[in-house]
């Protein structure tokens, strides 16, 4: 099945559900090596649909993996400081912001590195699928992994504000951190490159940052010579792309894909949620 795997339960799988499809990566734990990466385009896929397609493609059962991690990148979320978070009020936080709804189950992630809880909701169908999964299974909101990983990977580099932009058409996350502190997170919908620039510059202005000095890192579904990057570079001096600075290893096929395209999937195993 997987040429480098000794046994299926030596592998861990991370599935990321998005609005326009799902992606998954398979990690061989004994070798500390990512051995398979794939993206499937499909409008608003359910977790059950994604699992069936993965099992069919690899002639296996998800329950056979040593661990399964599911990332929900297809639902709104909000961060609540841990000091005031109340678990029994998860649904109320979402309802207050108008991002709750019937037919959904409220959930939350605790981010120790940010001293905050990320509150979100998933469909009742996806919640039921999760409850049926056997073996070691975890689920998180994608923004939880993103924020936790960025803080963990960047805190040793700088105690100055840093902006990260995670592109996921037709949306993008903006995450602003300073050392261990999460200063800002939001998701913006956009249609044109001018929309994108407006939201980015508006965020910089509202947080009283300096477009001439603050570093802006891109990651996600974007190319280094994208029109969005070119436009942003006219107004922001320090533009970079997230690079690998860890001991992850990959198959030759995965190495061909830019690391920043799949930052979220690759860091889901090590983000310590």
């Amino acid at each position: 099945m997987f040429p480098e795997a000794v046994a299926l339960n030596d592998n861990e799988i991370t599935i990321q559900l998005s609005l326009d499809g799902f992606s998954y990566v398979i990690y061989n734990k004994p070798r500390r090596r990512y051995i398979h990466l794939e993206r499937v385009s499909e409008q608003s896929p359910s977790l059950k649909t994604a699992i069936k397609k993965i099992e069919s493609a690899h002639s296996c059962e998800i329950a056979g993996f040593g661990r399964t991690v599911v990332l929900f990148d297809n639902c709104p979320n909000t961060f609540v400081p841990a000091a005031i978070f109340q678990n029994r009020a998860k649904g109320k936080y979402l309802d207050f912001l108008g991002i709750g709804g019937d037919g959904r189950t409220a959930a939350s992630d605790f981010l120790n590195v940010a001293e905050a809880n990320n509150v979100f909701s998933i469909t009742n169908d996806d919640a039921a699928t999760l409850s049926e999964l056997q073996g070691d299974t975890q689920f998180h909101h994608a923004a939880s992994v993103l924020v936790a990983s960025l803080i963990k990977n960047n805190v040793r580099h700088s105690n100055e504000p840093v902006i990260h932009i995670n592109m996921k058409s037709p949306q993008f996350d903006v995450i602003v951190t300073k050392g261990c502190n999460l200063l800002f997170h939001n998701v913006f919908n956009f249609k044109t490159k001018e929309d994108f620039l407006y939201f980015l510059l508006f965020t910089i202005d509202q947080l009283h940052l300096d477009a001439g000095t603050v570093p802006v890192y891109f990651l996600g579904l974007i190319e280094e010579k994208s029109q969005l990057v070119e436009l942003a570079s006219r107004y922001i001096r320090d533009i970079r792309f997230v690079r690998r600075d860890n001991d992850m290893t990959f198959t030759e096929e995965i190495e061909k894909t830019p690391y920043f395209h799949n930052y979220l999937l690759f860091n889901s195993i090590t983000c310590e949620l």
Side-chain angles (χ1 to χ4, degrees):
M1 186 184 67
F2 307 115
E4 299 188 39
V6 175
L8 181 58
N9 63 7
D10 284 336
N11 297 308
E12 301 181 0
I13 184 169
T14 299
I15 305 168
Q16 180 182 349
L17 292 175
S18 302
L19 293 173
D20 60 349
F22 68 91
S23 305
Y24 64 99
V25 68
I26 297 172
Y27 176 73
N28 184 257
K29 192 172 182 180
R31 303 186 184 200
R32 301 180 67 183
R33 187 174 178 83
Y34 290 89
I35 61 173
H36 189 83
L37 173 67
E38 191 164 342
R39 174 172 174 78
V40 178
S41 295
E42 181 169 325
Q43 194 68 25
S44 300
S46 67
L47 177 58
K48 181 174 289 188
T49 296
I51 288 174
K52 285 183 176 179
K53 291 194 173 184
I54 293 170
E55 291 179 334
S56 176
H58 299 288
S59 301
C60 69
E61 293 187 1
I62 288 293
F65 284 91
R67 182 169 70 144
T68 299
V69 179
V70 180
L71 305 180
F72 289 95
D73 202 12
N74 56 0
C75 54
N77 69 294
T78 185
F79 285 92
V80 179
I84 63 172
F85 174 75
Q86 296 183 21
N87 187 58
R88 65 179 182 275
K90 291 195 297 284
K92 293 182 179 179
Y93 295 124
L94 300 174
D95 291 341
F96 177 76
L97 295 173
I99 56 176
D102 297 331
R104 304 189 68 83
T105 300
S108 67
D109 294 321
F110 173 61
L111 282 69
N112 183 55
V113 293
E115 296 184 358
N117 289 78
N118 185 12
V119 185
F120 60 102
S121 67
I122 61 177
T123 66
N124 289 345
D125 286 344
D126 283 345
T129 300
L130 284 170
S131 68
E132 295 168 0
L133 293 180
Q134 299 177 355
D136 184 358
T137 303
Q138 300 176 17
F139 74 95
H140 306 289
H141 194 279
S144 302
V145 172
L146 184 61
V147 170
S149 298
L150 291 175
I151 290 178
K152 176 184 175 182
N153 293 339
N154 289 283
V155 67
R156 63 184 179 274
H157 297 307
S158 173
N159 199 37
E160 297 298 320
V162 178
I163 298 175
H164 283 86
I165 300 173
N166 177 41
M167 302 301 303
K168 47 181 187 180
S169 180
Q171 302 175 323
F172 65 98
D173 292 281
V174 177
I175 305 98
V176 184
T177 58
K178 182 179 181 181
C180 290
N181 298 310
L182 173 62
L183 302 183
F184 179 84
H185 170 267
N186 202 1
V187 179
F188 297 100
N189 293 294
F190 73 104
K191 293 182 178 179
T192 68
K193 60 181 184 293
E194 289 76 20
D195 292 340
F196 166 80
L197 180 66
Y198 169 80
F199 289 128
L200 176 56
L201 294 180
F202 178 77
T203 299
I204 291 173
D205 179 68
Q206 291 296 300
L207 294 178
H208 306 293
L209 301 176
D210 184 354
T213 60
V214 64
V216 175
Y217 287 83
F218 280 90
L219 63 148
L221 301 178
I222 192 167
E223 301 301 329
E224 294 193 47
K225 294 185 178 180
S226 163
Q227 291 183 355
L228 296 179
V229 176
E230 191 279 327
L231 180 60
S233 66
R234 300 180 194 176
Y235 301 88
I236 298 169
R237 182 173 299 176
D238 190 357
I239 287 182
R240 315 178 193 183
F241 283 78
V242 172
R243 305 298 182 189
R244 191 171 79 201
D245 63 350
N246 47 46
D247 59 357
M248 295 177 181
T249 60
F250 305 89
T251 61
E252 183 177 343
E253 189 64 27
I254 296 177
E255 284 280 9
K256 297 176 183 178
T257 303
Y259 170 74
F260 59 83
H261 281 184
N262 299 286
Y263 176 90
L264 230 166
L265 282 173
F266 292 144
N267 284 272
S268 63
I269 291 174
T270 60
C271 72
E272 300 178 0
L273 281 177

